[in-house]
Amino acid sequence: MIALGLEGSANKLGVGLIRHDMTTTPPTVTILSNLRHTYHPPPGEGFLPKDTAQHHRSHILELVKDAMAEANITPKDISVICFTKGPGMGGPLTSVATVARTLALMWNKELVGVNHCVGHIEMGRQITGAENPVVLYVSGGNTQVIAYAEKRYRIFGEALDIAVGNCLDRFARVLNLPNDPAPGYNIEQLAKKGTKLLDLPYTVKGMDVSFSGVLTYIETNAPALLASGEYTAADLCFSLQETVFAMLVETTERAMAHIGSKEVLIVGGVGCNKRLQEMMDQMASQRDGKVFATDERFCIDNGIMIAQAGILAYQTGYTTPLEKTWCTQRFRTDEVFVAWRE
């Protein structure tokens, strides 16, 4: 059984092909291809939906062809076509979904619409082997602390305003850092050179977090702090990372205590950050626990995670009828019925 996965909820366009060998128990999983093409706006700017959608429309057919050539398969080998149904940016989502529908009609294949967040979780579980972890999902558009219970991924806590990745990205614009390979990555590299910690607003409300206050504070004060020479850009990146990551570690630890888990799985683009992984590992070690994380191939948005989540749903008999293949910018993780897990 082979699934084609198409991801395009933000500025990353991903195409992936995954094979599940159903003759073994559990099925043997093989990644056949995992290609990605990223839209990079100029430094100091974010990516607009219309420009991102145009990027996806311009590159997706070539990416599908390249992925199939790398996997050495033809359309007749594909069992199901999976696409991101949401959440995400409207224009990019619909551009990719249109291609998924077209290919399904051309090749007479079933469709499966996938929740982007569940795709991250299932790919993380597959790659790391984590059994029943508390999941910290951190990206440019989402920040959630999640645990599985009774056929759903339950959200224990989340960002009340902007996501942690959006907070980091927007501060990168203040410093005019490049968007290539990613603004958050460039903040991470600069933060390694920081030595002076600036006291920033720390906002944890129960299991939820808020990043708009800390962002407003550092955006407002950065010009004067830099001009005075009291702090460097590296110091400010270091301070912002330490503060927002501490908030995430606190809420994740509380979720671990609540469900009695000793595993933490970090997924999403911000999950690539080595400092976040290090801070989480220090906390987990104190609880005799373990942190699971993946590298940029699987942390950052990709098509293979959509193929993985889609093929798991497809194996339970789930498909998305053509008339229901619309996309939604708001699609909560806990709305998905996880029929494939015990």
Side-chain angles (χ1 to χ4, degrees):
M1 189 176 287
I2 295 176
L4 169 66
L6 305 177
E7 154 60 24
S9 60
N11 69 324
K12 311 290 192 304
L13 174 65
V15 176
L17 284 156
I18 198 165
R19 179 174 62 216
H20 281 213
D21 183 355
M22 308 306 291
T23 62
T24 63
T25 305
T28 302
V29 177
T30 306
I31 296 171
L32 302 176
S33 182
N34 183 25
L35 302 182
R36 183 166 54 219
H37 199 285
T38 304
Y39 169 60
H40 295 298
E45 297 181 16
F47 48 90
L48 299 175
K50 64 181 180 65
D51 298 330
T52 309
Q54 179 58 47
H55 166 270
H56 291 1
R57 290 193 294 270
S58 300
H59 292 92
I60 188 166
L61 296 183
E62 181 182 356
L63 215 57
V64 170
K65 290 177 183 177
D66 290 346
M68 293 181 66
E70 182 178 279
N72 194 28
I73 65 167
T74 62
K76 66 179 178 60
D77 299 316
I78 295 173
S79 309
V80 61
I81 296 174
C82 313
F83 69 97
T84 305
K85 188 175 176 65
M89 302 168 72
L93 280 171
T94 54
S95 296
V96 174
T98 299
V99 173
R101 291 187 206 102
T102 305
L103 293 178
L105 291 170
M106 285 173 56
W107 297 342
N108 192 29
K109 304 295 180 182
E110 298 277 15
L111 283 163
V112 173
V114 174
N115 179 288
H116 178 86
C117 315
V118 172
H120 273 296
I121 296 170
E122 292 304 341
M123 199 67 233
R125 291 180 61 237
Q126 174 62 41
I127 294 298
T128 65
E131 294 182 5
N132 188 33
V134 169
V135 180
L136 176 64
Y137 171 36
V138 278
S139 69
N142 298 275
T143 299
Q144 298 173 348
V145 178
I146 302 164
Y148 174 78
E150 299 178 349
K151 298 294 183 181
R152 293 193 189 270
Y153 286 114
R154 311 288 177 173
I155 300 173
F156 276 62
E158 58 192 320
L160 297 173
D161 36 47
I162 61 172
V164 63
N166 186 243
C167 175
L168 296 171
D169 290 353
R170 285 167 63 178
F171 186 60
R173 291 180 218 165
V174 173
L175 299 178
N176 206 38
L177 296 179
N179 287 309
D180 187 9
Y185 173 83
N186 293 325
I187 279 192
E188 178 186 0
Q189 302 315 307
L190 199 53
K192 292 176 181 177
K193 303 174 184 176
T195 57
K196 195 172 182 181
L197 184 67
L198 174 66
D199 190 19
L200 295 172
Y202 182 99
T203 311
V204 174
K205 301 181 178 181
M207 283 298 295
D208 297 324
V209 292
S210 172
F211 299 113
S212 59
V214 64
L215 176 63
T216 300
Y217 182 90
I218 199 167
E219 279 183 333
T220 304
N221 291 283
L225 292 169
L226 293 171
S228 69
E230 188 178 358
Y231 291 89
T232 65
D235 291 333
L236 296 183
C237 290
F238 167 70
S239 300
L240 182 60
Q241 271 199 171
E242 293 297 303
T243 303
V244 297
F245 290 169
M247 294 158 62
L248 297 172
V249 171
E250 178 186 338
T251 50
T252 303
E253 182 175 20
R254 198 172 294 130
M256 290 178 70
H258 183 82
I259 70 169
S261 174
K262 290 188 177 294
E263 295 181 337
V264 179
L265 172 63
I266 307 176
V267 299
V270 182
C272 294
N273 190 294
K274 297 297 184 184
R275 178 56 182 156
L276 174 60
Q277 294 179 15
E278 179 185 353
M279 292 173 68
M280 196 66 70
D281 187 60
Q282 289 173 357
M283 177 275 290
S285 297
Q286 293 169 9
R287 303 182 64 87
D288 296 322
K290 186 176 181 181
V291 172
F292 296 87
T294 62
D295 59 31
E296 60 88 25
R297 292 173 300 168
F298 307 110
C299 259
I300 298 172
D301 292 351
N302 59 83
I304 203 71
M305 71 184 199
I306 302 302
Q308 171 67 1
I311 201 170
L312 289 173
Y314 184 65
Q315 288 165 9
T316 69
Y318 177 84
T319 59
T320 305
L322 192 64
E323 63 273 14
K324 292 187 178 181
T325 55
W326 39 264
C327 297
T328 174
Q329 292 179 265
R330 309 200 183 282
F331 188 4
R332 287 182 63 80
T333 312
D334 50 11
E335 290 179 39
V336 179
F337 184 73
V338 187
W340 55 89
R341 285 195 63 175
E342 293 296 332

